[in-house]
Amino acid sequence: MHKRFGRTEVLKGVSLDIPRGEVLGIIGSSGSGKTTFLRCINLLEEYEVGTIELDGQAIGYRMIAGRRKRLRESEISDQRAEIGMVFQSFNLFPHMTVEQNIMLGLTKVRRMPSAAARTLAGAWLDRVGLTDKRDLYPYQLSGGQQQRVAIARAVAMEPKLMLLDEVTSALDPELVGEVLNVIRGLAHSGMTMLVVSHEMHFVRDIATRVVFMEGGRIAEEGPPGEILMRPRSARLVSFLNRFHGTGSQPAG
Amino acid sequence: MVYYFNFDPVWRGFGKLLDGLALGLEMAVVSLLAGTLIGIVCAHARLSSSALVRRAVWSYVEFIRNSPILLLIFFVYFGLPEVGIYSLDKYQSFVLTLSIYAGAYLTEVFRVGLVSVPVRYVEAAKAIGLRPFQRQIYVVFPVLFRIVLPSLSNNLISLFKDTSLATAIAVPELTFEAREINTYTFRVIETWLVASGLYLATCYAIAFALRLVERRYAVIR
């Protein structure tokens, strides 16, 4: 999988290669462009310059006679089906039960018969520990439970890549753990993931590589032990110092 | 001066009043449904990228909302035959007018509703790979419907009351029937009291029933 990517304003040239099975942690202060970067990958944001490829296939845009053209909305929809996304604010469909939320993509996008979709939804609900909440509506669940459903909804589609956008930022502290456990399970099962997070402990735990973004650029990247424990740039040091207990000291 | 109430003549015609009531309700419901269709289409047009389309719909909405409905009723009923369209009877003519009228108001209702469907639900629908049409059907419309439901209830009640204007073109709805009884029996106060009571009871019944529907669907927090 290969991505090259640049954008004049918010993203000023971000280039990344993400091998299959990698869990890439993206950290950085707010406004550094990390969420925008994530949202560009599945075309929730448009970008002016650059290309993104998933399994060798250009995502979102295509060069036709030397000119960059946006793909048709239906083609983009098909590509998005291969990329799962979990949002900061859960975004469960409010008019559907937990089970219906998970089944919608399976039946309408994957065109699965509803019995099979229900079985699969049940299996995923079991994995995120919410079997007994199947027939409840989102507003009847806690934030942590909603977010676990949102994760189940995304992974049930068997995407090639998962995008996690600050998935614990809207949660009460005591609910963060249950969500992180589910994500940790996914990481161990070999899912390729891009994880934007402020949970430094968590990033150090699950990421195989960490990218520090600053001002729309990648300022530093490397293995989590190196980036989080022995940061090189002063900016990264001051960023990490704002998260107590990460044990970050400048190298040397 | 003493007024002696005598409701007997009214009760004798009560069946006709109920028939008139049923006709009014039927016309209101049909107009609401047609108006909803018009409203959804025009609300999308109001948000269209084409300025011409936006302005055309804006003109329609403004024209209707600033015209007395009685004028519109006469305009359609007497105007269409003038331009060679004789195929509508008085019922169809009235329902057509009321639908166009409801459509203008509902265009605004749905426009506001569409704008207030939270973007995050649409993004979630995009993210799982639903196509534009599927996003509308499975996500936008169900959420929109729940947002506009209270306005639809209010509109149904207004439309039902507006059906009394069909009297002007001799459609035998409740007000028309009451006036008939009034004319033949001279029981003025009794007739209008009973007719008003029927309007009141029906409006309350509609409001109550729709409150139940709203509660059933009020799952959006």
Side-chain angles (χ1 to χ4, degrees):
Chain A
M1 193 168 63
H2 172 81
K3 299 180 200 308
R4 250 176 313 124
F5 178 74
R7 183 182 168 133
T8 36
E9 298 132 308
V10 190
L11 298 172
K12 298 167 184 162
V14 176
S15 186
L16 277 171
D17 270 305
I18 301 154
R20 182 170 288 124
E22 178 168 78
V23 178
L24 181 75
I26 303 174
I27 58 173
S29 45
S30 31
S32 62
K34 51 196 195 312
T35 288
T36 307
F37 171 61
L38 217 58
R39 289 167 56 84
C40 284
I41 294 174
N42 66 354
L43 268 290
L44 289 183
E45 305 281 350
E46 309 292 321
Y47 50 97
E48 290 77 32
V49 183
T51 56
I52 297 178
E53 285 177 16
L54 178 63
D55 266 355
Q57 191 196 7
I59 298 283
Y61 303 88
R62 185 187 292 145
M63 298 302 285
I64 292 168
R67 293 185 57 180
R68 183 171 182 267
K69 286 200 70 175
R70 195 176 192 272
L71 297 180
R72 273 181 287 126
E73 195 61 29
S74 58
E75 294 174 284
I76 288 179
S77 298
D78 292 350
Q79 293 181 338
R80 285 187 183 123
E82 304 301 322
I83 303 171
M85 184 158 194
V86 183
F87 301 86
Q88 183 177 347
S89 51
F90 331 133
N91 304 6
L92 293 179
F93 304 125
H95 57 293
M96 294 184 184
T97 63
V98 163
E99 185 178 61
Q100 288 166 343
N101 260 279
I102 302 176
M103 286 174 63
L104 184 65
L106 299 176
T107 52
K108 304 304 173 195
V109 179
R110 294 282 183 246
R111 308 221 163 269
M112 236 183 228
S114 66
R118 186 168 289 115
T119 309
L120 189 59
W124 275 105
L125 278 177
D126 197 33
R127 254 189 87 172
V128 301
L130 293 171
T131 306
D132 54 328
K133 308 290 185 203
R134 196 179 54 188
D135 295 321
L136 296 185
Y137 285 90
Y139 74 89
Q140 296 169 304
L141 304 180
S142 74
Q145 292 168 337
Q146 289 189 51
Q147 194 60 297
R148 284 187 279 159
V149 174
I151 294 170
R153 176 175 69 180
V155 287
M157 297 287 287
E158 296 183 356
K160 292 173 180 166
L161 169 70
M162 283 278 286
L163 309 173
L164 283 76
D165 184 17
E166 302 191 23
V167 294
T168 56
S169 298
L171 296 177
D172 294 333
E174 71 271 21
L175 302 176
V176 169
E178 62 188 67
V179 172
L180 295 187
N181 280 334
V182 169
I183 298 169
R184 191 171 288 122
L186 286 179
H188 290 152
S189 70
M191 176 67 79
T192 311
M193 293 198 283
L194 266 66
V195 183
V196 167
S197 180
H198 287 295
E199 303 282 337
M200 293 305 150
H201 279 297
F202 176 67
V203 169
R204 189 173 57 193
D205 247 29
I206 65 156
T208 48
R209 184 158 58 120
V210 175
V211 160
F212 171 60
M213 284 185 70
E214 174 70 35
R217 290 197 175 85
I218 294 178
E220 263 189 78
E221 64 173 292
E226 204 166 289
I227 292 288
L228 298 174
M229 307 306 285
R230 290 182 295 280
R232 290 184 295 272
S233 64
R235 285 185 180 282
L236 180 53
V237 172
S238 76
F239 172 75
L240 289 175
N241 279 340
R242 274 182 280 140
F243 295 89
H244 52 267
T246 44
S248 55
Q249 289 297 317
Chain B
M1 195 192 138
V2 180
Y3 188 92
Y4 295 98
F5 282 98
N6 179 7
F7 282 96
D8 289 346
V10 184
W11 297 141
R12 274 197 293 277
F14 196 64
K16 287 207 147 189
L17 290 182
L18 287 183
D19 289 345
L21 175 80
L23 177 63
L25 258 181
E26 190 186 330
M27 294 192 299
V29 169
V30 172
S31 304
L32 181 78
L33 294 178
T36 297
L37 268 179
I38 297 172
I40 289 174
V41 171
C42 289
H44 279 93
R46 278 289 272 136
L47 302 170
S48 144
S49 53
S50 151
L52 187 71
V53 171
R54 283 202 306 273
R55 214 163 302 151
V57 172
W58 179 82
S59 308
Y60 154 64
V61 171
E62 290 301 305
F63 175 71
I64 298 295
R65 293 210 304 180
N66 292 293
S67 308
I69 181 171
L70 189 57
L71 183 148
L72 298 172
I73 293 165
F74 287 148
F75 191 79
V76 172
Y77 184 61
F78 297 115
L80 287 186
E82 289 295 314
V83 294
I85 301 171
Y86 299 98
S87 51
L88 297 184
D89 62 25
K90 58 191 177 189
Y91 302 94
Q92 293 163 336
S93 165
F94 180 75
V95 169
L96 175 68
T97 311
L98 201 58
S99 301
I100 293 171
Y101 177 76
Y105 282 86
L106 292 171
T107 296
E108 281 307 286
V109 168
F110 281 105
R111 185 185 62 79
V112 173
L114 275 175
V115 172
S116 46
V117 170
V119 179
R120 60 181 192 276
Y121 300 138
V122 180
E123 291 194 339
K126 285 181 178 176
I128 60 173
L130 289 175
R131 293 179 172 213
F133 182 69
Q134 293 176 315
R135 301 201 287 261
Q136 292 289 314
I137 298 297
Y138 300 116
V139 178
V140 175
F141 282 153
V143 175
L144 175 64
F145 170 68
R146 285 159 174 80
I147 292 173
V148 302
L149 199 51
S151 306
L152 287 183
S153 312
N154 292 338
N155 269 279
L156 179 58
I157 290 170
S158 325
L159 288 174
F160 171 62
K161 289 189 295 179
D162 290 339
T163 58
S164 70
L165 290 164
T167 297
I169 55 172
V171 172
E173 44 64 63
L174 177 50
T175 302
F176 182 89
E177 296 291 3
R179 201 175 59 172
E180 292 283 287
I181 294 173
N182 187 15
T183 307
Y184 290 111
T185 67
F186 302 108
R187 302 315 307 177
V188 180
I189 292 180
E190 290 88 337
T191 313
W192 294 118
L193 269 181
V194 171
S196 307
L198 283 174
Y199 274 111
L200 183 76
T202 309
C203 289
Y204 266 95
I206 296 173
F208 178 74
L210 291 175
R211 208 68 72 220
L212 292 183
V213 175
E214 280 169 37
R215 203 166 305 157
R216 160 74 181 77
Y217 287 108
V219 293
I220 294 171
R221 295 293 189 273

